[in-house]
Amino acid sequence: MGSEQTRETSRTRAVGDGQGRQLREAAERLALTLAQGGMQKTTARVMNALLFSRQETMTANDLCDELQISSGAVSGAVKQFLPIGMIERVSAADGTTTASESMPGRG
């Protein structure tokens, strides 16, 4: 990713303290289940952050802050999602390169 800013389009961002906590807990439980099934835990957490987010876009920094993980961990997950079409790189209005979520029925 380097100096590029990466954004992943997202579905539902937790609103309100109670609802937000419940969504984060559900996302973490799902990440653990996916990890038990063979997915890397950090990759599962990044995927769930995108799926459970209400923000239309999330930067790599947003994901780092939300999940309390390193930029390298986010970069690794993003690199796994790009080739399988879960996200795609697009240009942002400010000229930076972004990644837009491309799941069917979303966005």
Side-chain angles (χ1 to χ4, degrees):
M1 278 194 278
S3 64
E4 297 175 345
Q5 188 178 35
T6 301
R7 294 182 187 210
E8 291 78 21
T9 302
S10 309
R11 180 176 291 187
T12 55
R13 168 60 84 198
V15 245
D17 222 14
Q19 183 184 14
R21 183 177 37 78
Q22 289 176 343
L23 285 174
R24 283 189 299 275
E25 289 172 0
E28 287 297 320
R29 285 193 304 272
L30 179 56
L32 286 174
T33 300
L34 292 169
Q36 290 171 346
M39 182 181 276
Q40 291 180 359
K41 185 177 177 185
T42 301
T43 302
R45 292 182 71 215
V46 169
M47 181 182 78
N48 289 334
L50 297 171
L51 291 173
F52 283 86
S53 176
R54 279 210 176 152
Q55 289 177 257
E56 185 173 323
T57 62
M58 289 182 79
T59 66
N61 286 336
D62 291 338
L63 289 166
C64 289
D65 292 344
E66 175 85 19
L67 301 173
Q68 296 298 296
I69 59 176
S70 70
S71 59
V74 170
S75 178
V78 167
K79 286 178 183 175
Q80 289 183 30
F81 296 139
L82 285 169
I84 60 175
M86 288 184 71
I87 60 176
E88 59 187 4
R89 292 193 189 274
V90 295
S91 294
D94 64 3
T96 60
T97 302
T98 65
S100 174
E101 172 272 321
S102 61
M103 292 179 155
R106 301 260 323 254

